[in-house]
Amino acid sequence: MVRHTATSVVTIERFIIEQERQHPEATGELSGILYDIALAAKMIASKVRMAGLADILGSAGAENVQGEVQQKLDVVSNEIIIKAMDHTGRLCAMASEEEPGIIQIPENFRCGKYVLLFDPLDGSSNIDVNVPVGTIFSVVRKITRGRHGEMEDLLQPGRRQVAAGYVIYGSSTMLVYTTGQGVHGFTLDPSIGEFLLSHPNIRIPDDGRYLSVNDSYEQLWDDNVKMLMRRYRGLEGGTKALSVRYVGSLVADFHRNLLGGGIFAYPANRKSHKGKLRLLYEANPLGFIVEQAGGAASDGTIRVLDVLPTELHQRTPLYIGSKSCVEMAKECLSGVSQLVGA
Ligand code: AHG
Ligand code: MN
Ligand code: MN
């Protein structure tokens, strides 16, 4: 594998080919999926960049399966990804946060051996106020026989992912992905329309710097969670106080913590026992990335990638980021730290 430095001018396409060459058995189909996602990301980035000018701000006037009001950009981004991916012959099915069930490949297109699960636009509440939003994707292999994908192909634990990534539409547009060979970041150069390698081999600092949590739910948390948040804030247990940074877009909060070190926490609470974030297309892909970068992701009890899915849009509590911060969460939430004198 060529060890690139950030000064090498390497397009994402060339980088993907170089990674593929590490696997002589590779057929190129997974590489093709990553190219297609990069294309869809450029198209969504173009819509996001001018959202204030075109008629794509605000609500689409409909609700999605989550019971959330769909923003126009949710719907536009969802359509862009489906249309970019459905005819490539690389997928046997898709699933989207914005679609109730399995997205089948149209009869007139060839089916492939992979499944794509995605959140087309993450952080929708931030679109109209020009705060970074993102796209999150996860790829697993088809495990059933037959031509078309089935629900069983979609409901696989995160440890079976073969690729995962996100796009952040921020001060610049970045695509960050892993295929199990480390985590690599590419920045879009809009003047040439290319994603160029800017962050080779991303590693998350072991020690946290940032805490990302919406503590307006504090009254709904159980005592262990309240104690954990006091420890993250340096108010208990002699721990270092983390700086609180909460954007309200998971991708933006996660990306900052991936590069700077920290923890993103969306605990369960008395109103939503599984928290808010979705397992298959939010927690799992970011969990694969953070582990590949040397961090961890837990639902507070077990490794997120080991959670066995039972339904497409199931939610999970999420503690994701620097290993030491996630360990602290597991200690506090299992009640251990009460024994060790919090
Ligand atoms: P989405 O826009 O795809 O529904 O995701 C929104 C998620 C996530 O991006 C963010 O971290 C979280 O919702 C914020 O939730 P709260 O507003 O409850 O803090
Ligand atoms: Mn989301
Ligand atoms: Mn979304």
Side-chain angles (χ1 to χ4, degrees):
M1 176 76 190
V2 175
R3 300 287 302 176
H4 290 295
T5 62
T7 55
S8 322
V9 178
V10 180
T11 63
I12 190 169
E13 287 81 6
R14 182 141 67 80
F15 190 89
I16 291 170
I17 289 172
E18 285 173 358
Q19 282 215 314
E20 183 190 308
R21 285 194 190 123
Q22 306 295 308
H23 299 276
E25 75 287 357
T27 61
E29 282 194 44
L30 182 57
S31 296
I33 290 170
L34 294 169
Y35 299 151
D36 298 332
I37 288 170
L39 171 65
K42 292 179 202 173
M43 295 165 77
I44 294 171
S46 155
K47 296 290 183 194
V48 168
R49 296 277 163 248
M50 60 179 182
L53 299 174
D55 178 25
I56 48 175
L57 281 182
S59 154
E63 265 193 9
N64 62 14
V65 64
Q66 327 277 342
E68 295 162 343
V69 174
Q70 283 183 316
Q71 301 300 306
K72 287 178 185 168
L73 216 45
D74 283 323
V75 175
V76 168
S77 306
N78 188 52
E79 282 304 310
I80 285 173
I81 295 175
I82 292 172
K83 291 282 172 280
M85 308 301 290
D86 67 358
H87 59 284
T88 62
R90 295 166 175 138
L91 301 175
C92 63
M94 290 184 262
S96 166
E97 178 189 80
E98 303 302 339
E99 302 284 344
I102 193 167
I103 303 167
Q104 288 297 2
I105 301 301
E107 275 311 321
N108 53 319
F109 296 143
R110 201 164 47 83
C111 282
K113 63 185 182 187
Y114 292 103
V115 175
L116 175 71
L117 305 104
F118 59 94
D119 176 359
L121 205 84
D122 173 67
S124 306
S125 62
N126 283 321
I127 295 167
D128 291 4
V129 293
N130 204 13
V131 167
V133 292
T135 296
I136 311 172
F137 66 89
S138 168
V139 183
V140 293
R141 273 196 193 80
K142 182 175 184 358
I143 52 175
T144 60
R145 305 174 66 78
R147 179 167 173 263
H148 284 283
E150 299 168 28
M151 193 51 79
E152 189 186 347
D153 296 306
L154 276 59
L155 299 180
Q156 298 185 55
R159 61 175 178 263
R160 293 241 193 92
Q161 293 174 97
V162 292
Y166 60 87
V167 186
I168 176 167
Y169 311 103
S171 45
S172 61
T173 298
M174 270 191 76
L175 192 158
V176 177
Y177 84 89
T178 185
T179 54
Q181 303 169 88
V183 177
H184 310 285
F186 302 80
T187 299
L188 180 64
D189 178 339
S191 67
I192 57 174
E194 289 283 3
F195 275 110
L196 301 179
L197 180 67
S198 54
H199 297 69
N201 299 306
I202 296 173
R203 302 292 295 171
I204 186 169
D206 279 340
D207 282 337
R209 188 166 158 211
Y210 301 110
L211 166 61
S212 303
V213 68
N214 181 346
D215 49 18
S216 67
Y217 301 112
E218 180 156 13
Q219 299 312 315
L220 300 174
W221 291 337
D222 73 22
D223 289 344
N224 282 345
V225 173
K226 289 178 183 171
M227 178 181 61
L228 172 64
M229 295 305 158
R230 288 178 58 77
R231 293 187 70 183
Y232 282 150
R233 285 182 160 76
L235 300 173
E236 203 164 289
T239 51
K240 179 188 80 169
L242 302 180
S243 293
V244 179
R245 293 283 188 282
Y246 193 73
V247 172
S249 291
L250 170 60
V251 168
D253 283 317
F254 175 81
H255 183 70
R256 181 202 48 250
N257 296 352
L258 180 71
L259 297 186
I263 181 87
F264 174 96
Y266 206 108
N269 65 57
R270 280 197 295 280
K271 266 173 66 180
S272 47
H273 298 295
K274 287 286 185 188
K276 171 181 185 181
L277 299 173
R278 277 59 53 135
L279 175 66
L280 290 179
Y281 41 79
E282 291 177 317
N284 275 347
L286 299 186
F288 186 17
I289 287 176
V290 81
E291 287 192 1
Q292 280 287 311
S298 168
D299 66 357
T301 310
I302 66 167
R303 179 185 180 225
V304 157
L305 300 190
D306 289 337
V307 174
L308 299 179
T310 52
E311 50 184 71
L312 203 49
H313 300 289
Q314 78 182 60
R315 299 171 192 262
T316 177
L318 183 61
Y319 300 85
I320 186 167
S322 296
K323 206 166 267 185
S324 61
C325 299
V326 177
E327 282 311 312
M328 188 185 292
K330 285 161 56 177
E331 268 174 39
C332 286
L333 301 181
S334 64
V336 164
S337 53
Q338 279 152 345
L339 307 176
V340 297

